[in-house]
Amino acid sequence: MKKILIELKDVSFQYEYTQALKNISLRVHEGDFLALMGQNGSGKSTLLKLILGLLKPMSGEIKLFGEQANHFKHREWIGYVSQKSNAFNSGFPATVEEVVKSGLVQKVGLFKRYPKDADILVKGALKDVGMEKYLKRNIGQLSGGQQQRVFIARALVSDPKLLILDEPTVGIDRENVQAFYDMLAHLNKHHNMTMILVTHDVDTVSDRVSHVACLNQSIHFHGYKNDFDTISEEQIASWNGHSVRKIH
Amino acid sequence: MIEAILNYEFLQNAFFSGLIIGVIAPLLGVFIVVRRLSLIADALSHVTLAGIAGSLYLSQSFAGLALLNPIYLGIVASVSGSILIERLRRLYKHYEELAIPIIMSGGIGISAIFISLASGFNTDLMSYLFGSVSAVSRQDLYVVMAIAVVVVLFLVLFFKELFVLSFDEEYAKASGLPAKWIHLLFMVVVALVIAASMRIVGILLVSSLMTLPVAAAMRLARGFKEAIILAIVFGELAVIIGLISAFYLNLAPGGTIVVTSIIILLLVIFIKKIVLKVSIKSKGEEVL
């Protein structure tokens, strides 16, 4: 039986006037590569923020690695690549090395300096995403796709058990998206890294993922990718409220 | 100048205070600039003025407080201002910048009231506004040294967290960092540095020493540590050249330090442009 890394039971969340999520129940097992799909405003980012502890649910229960989310201390087990990384301040004077090393901040802990082997870990993480040549380059001088790889390296450097990526292909050229998914699939398969990939566009859900969850305030589908493929585009459109086109 | 420094205590005070401030102001300034908080330094300096004016008024009105060093109330005002700014920024989540004009105008308003109440001051208020080589006392120097120790300690303890917070606040929060507390501590340390710097650079120009050397450094630096080192080098250059010229030309050091910083910034921009043009030209020739 695979270990449950994330478990949500009847989770609801409401912003001041808007219900964002209603009775969400979801389990993510070790080794899953889950595409969490939903249109803009469907509550994807809210769900991620709840999982990451940035928001607290109005009702329901969230468990991370078997522990209640509000008591969960091992944040370094969860790597996070935010959507905002695509729009970071490109004038920030930081090298790729400095950005990736900052991914160790939680693992190292308060009042402590980076360990001596931090440089080796940084180089290893950059190698995993094919960016080892860019160690000393300024982050702002890289292309959108390269920057996104660096942010993934930052998430990988602390050797997380779970990687959450919020719309990671935004800003990446269409022809490089497949290579990007290949890299994620490699990490999933060879590093046994559980992944949650958030996307608003069904077109970008690659065959590389193992599971799909469709969200629009509540979960409409959660299952294997193969089962998702049997669902008609009309059905998905009715969940999303607009037409969709699936790519196989 | 060296002989004068050896002979006169007030020059020693000014020179050593200047050297320390030349390090700590740009050091914190790098974090202020990359976090787009430059105007907060301005707002805090005006709150510091309220503390200084209040202290000068109290020492004029009550004989028992005649010897009170205005830097202490300046520090209290500055630190209180930093905490108030943070509360206001949280209150107006979607209009965070509103905190700056509220605190800045509050600081100027309170200063104006104290200055009016005292019908002007015997002490040269100009030295607080634009800095003074002769006004730095040995006690001021000790306060500057103590604040420098606090700044260095704070950065040693929280450097990596501050970098993450500056680069990507959401990521910092998602990593479980106590972002709120670190930011509040940062603001308090900024307030301390502003209070420490005002004797040399002056209240109206103190934020420039936190931003101009950083602006020059950011034109050249590839990385964050490089930006910090360059900002300190430019800050020290500005302080040393500014203090020497203020001494010989009998000018307010705040003015000479800021003008030197601007000259350094313009030189850096000019040199970078030339280097870029030359490298583009040589690459073009290589292609041909």
Side-chain angles (χ1 to χ4, degrees):
Chain A
M1 184 82 179
K2 279 184 179 176
K3 213 168 138 185
I4 300 167
L5 302 195
I6 293 179
E7 187 173 18
L8 286 90
K9 277 186 200 164
D10 279 330
V11 170
S12 295
F13 186 84
Q14 183 165 351
Y15 290 105
E16 212 166 345
Y17 302 111
T18 327
Q19 177 92 42
L21 296 170
K22 204 175 170 185
N23 302 327
I24 301 287
S25 292
L26 182 76
R27 278 180 175 178
V28 180
H29 292 86
E30 191 173 26
D32 283 1
F33 189 165
L34 170 73
L36 179 65
M37 208 187 77
Q39 61 180 1
N40 291 330
S42 60
K44 303 182 303 285
S45 297
T46 306
L47 185 59
L48 280 195
K49 283 179 181 168
L50 286 165
I51 292 171
L52 291 164
L54 298 173
L55 292 174
K56 287 190 173 67
M58 303 285 179
S59 62
E61 187 184 53
I62 301 175
K63 280 186 176 176
L64 303 174
F65 294 85
E67 283 179 48
Q68 294 291 340
N70 49 345
H71 298 299
F72 182 67
K73 298 274 180 241
H74 297 283
R75 291 276 160 199
E76 73 275 13
W77 289 355
I78 303 176
Y80 174 52
V81 181
S82 76
Q83 197 178 352
K84 278 189 183 162
S85 303
N86 297 305
F88 83 104
N89 170 14
S90 59
F92 196 102
T95 59
V96 166
E97 184 182 25
E98 287 170 331
V99 172
V100 176
K101 199 184 270 185
S102 72
L104 287 166
V105 73
Q106 185 58 24
K107 195 172 188 176
V108 174
L110 277 173
F111 312 127
K112 288 175 191 157
R113 301 183 71 175
Y114 289 121
K116 279 179 185 167
D117 66 344
D119 293 342
I120 297 164
L121 295 173
V122 168
K123 281 176 189 162
L126 283 170
K127 201 174 173 193
D128 282 339
V129 297
M131 290 292 291
E132 65 270 35
K133 283 183 203 161
Y134 298 88
L135 192 72
K136 299 288 177 193
R137 284 278 286 274
N138 180 286
I139 184 82
Q141 289 172 352
L142 304 179
S143 71
Q146 289 173 326
Q147 283 170 357
Q148 198 63 316
R149 281 171 182 263
V150 172
F151 294 129
I152 292 172
R154 177 180 64 172
L156 294 178
V157 75
S158 65
D159 196 21
K161 297 174 195 299
L162 170 71
L163 186 61
I164 299 176
L165 304 110
D166 191 1
E167 308 258 11
T169 52
V170 174
I172 300 181
D173 305 336
R174 196 117 192 129
E175 56 266 30
N176 287 321
V177 168
Q178 200 49 49
F180 186 78
Y181 277 116
D182 289 345
M183 180 195 75
L184 294 182
H186 172 81
L187 291 168
N188 174 246
K189 208 172 175 182
H190 297 280
H191 294 248
N192 193 32
M193 197 175 286
T194 310
M195 300 225 180
I196 301 179
L197 176 74
V198 176
T199 177
H200 72 278
D201 189 357
V202 69
D203 291 2
T204 60
V205 178
S206 152
D207 278 339
R208 298 293 200 172
V209 304
S210 64
H211 292 73
V212 175
C214 293
L215 179 76
N216 195 359
Q217 268 77 59
S218 53
I219 299 274
H220 292 281
F221 172 86
H222 179 212
Y224 289 106
K225 172 70 166 64
N226 293 340
D227 296 334
F228 176 73
D229 289 339
T230 63
I231 299 168
S232 68
E233 290 178 349
E234 290 74 26
Q235 180 65 62
I236 300 170
S238 73
W239 297 333
N240 279 351
H242 62 80
S243 61
V244 293
R245 185 173 59 88
K246 287 202 287 182
I247 294 177
H248 298 285
Chain B
M1 175 91 182
I2 293 168
E3 203 186 317
I5 289 173
L6 291 173
N7 290 331
Y8 299 107
E9 191 183 288
F10 76 93
L11 273 181
Q12 290 167 8
N13 297 338
F15 197 73
F16 290 125
S17 297
L19 286 182
I20 295 170
I21 290 159
V23 174
I24 59 174
L27 182 60
L28 273 189
V30 175
F31 291 99
I32 290 174
V33 171
V34 296
R35 298 191 67 190
R36 301 177 194 274
L37 298 174
S38 307
L39 285 173
I40 283 180
D42 255 329
L44 286 180
S45 63
H46 286 82
V47 176
T48 312
L49 178 62
I52 300 286
S55 181
L56 290 174
Y57 169 70
L58 288 175
S59 56
Q60 200 180 66
S61 308
F62 303 99
L65 297 172
L67 292 174
L68 179 71
N69 189 334
I71 200 169
Y72 297 126
L73 262 189
I75 289 172
V76 170
S78 187
V79 170
S80 311
S82 68
I83 295 166
L84 269 175
I85 284 181
E86 274 320 292
R87 294 211 75 124
L88 284 169
R89 269 157 59 94
R90 246 174 273 153
L91 194 66
Y92 292 99
K93 245 183 200 171
H94 302 290
Y95 299 95
E96 286 185 346
E97 72 282 359
L98 252 183
I100 295 166
I102 292 171
I103 293 297
M104 191 186 265
S105 52
I108 298 170
I110 294 168
S111 312
I113 288 172
F114 280 125
I115 293 167
S116 311
L117 278 174
S119 314
F121 291 115
N122 293 331
T123 318
D124 189 5
L125 194 64
M126 289 288 278
S127 75
Y128 283 103
L129 296 178
F130 303 108
S132 166
V133 173
S134 58
V136 187
S137 67
R138 190 45 60 110
Q139 206 183 10
D140 291 335
L141 174 62
Y142 291 147
V143 171
V144 169
M145 285 163 87
I147 289 175
V149 170
V150 172
V151 171
V152 171
L153 203 65
F154 173 70
L155 286 179
V156 166
L157 289 176
F158 293 106
F159 185 85
K160 62 185 193 311
E161 286 79 12
L162 280 171
F163 175 84
V164 179
L165 258 179
S166 309
F167 185 73
D168 190 342
E169 198 164 339
E170 194 187 45
Y171 180 82
K173 287 177 184 166
S175 303
L177 289 185
K180 208 169 84 179
W181 286 107
I182 293 172
H183 182 68
L184 186 66
L185 274 176
F186 174 74
M187 291 302 295
V188 170
V189 174
V190 168
L192 288 175
V193 171
I194 286 170
S197 311
M198 73 182 178
R199 276 315 231 163
I200 291 289
V201 200
I203 287 158
L204 296 181
L205 299 169
V206 67
S207 65
S208 57
L209 199 53
M210 292 181 136
T211 51
L212 290 175
V214 180
M218 281 173 72
R219 298 295 303 165
L220 302 175
R222 271 182 312 175
F224 197 67
K225 282 187 181 161
E226 215 175 288
I228 287 176
I229 292 165
L230 284 172
I232 291 172
V233 169
F234 293 146
E236 281 296 313
L237 264 177
V239 166
I240 292 167
I241 296 170
L243 278 178
I244 292 172
S245 48
F247 175 73
Y248 283 113
L249 303 171
N250 197 23
L251 297 170
T256 51
I257 290 171
V258 170
V259 168
T260 311
S261 296
I262 290 175
I263 292 170
I264 291 171
L265 174 64
L266 291 174
L267 276 173
V268 165
I269 293 171
F270 181 69
I271 291 166
K272 173 111 193 245
K273 255 190 179 170
I274 290 188
V275 170
L276 264 179
K277 267 188 185 168
V278 169
S279 78
I280 289 169
K281 209 176 167 188
S282 63
K283 270 182 190 167
E285 279 167 5
E286 266 175 40
V287 171
L288 286 172

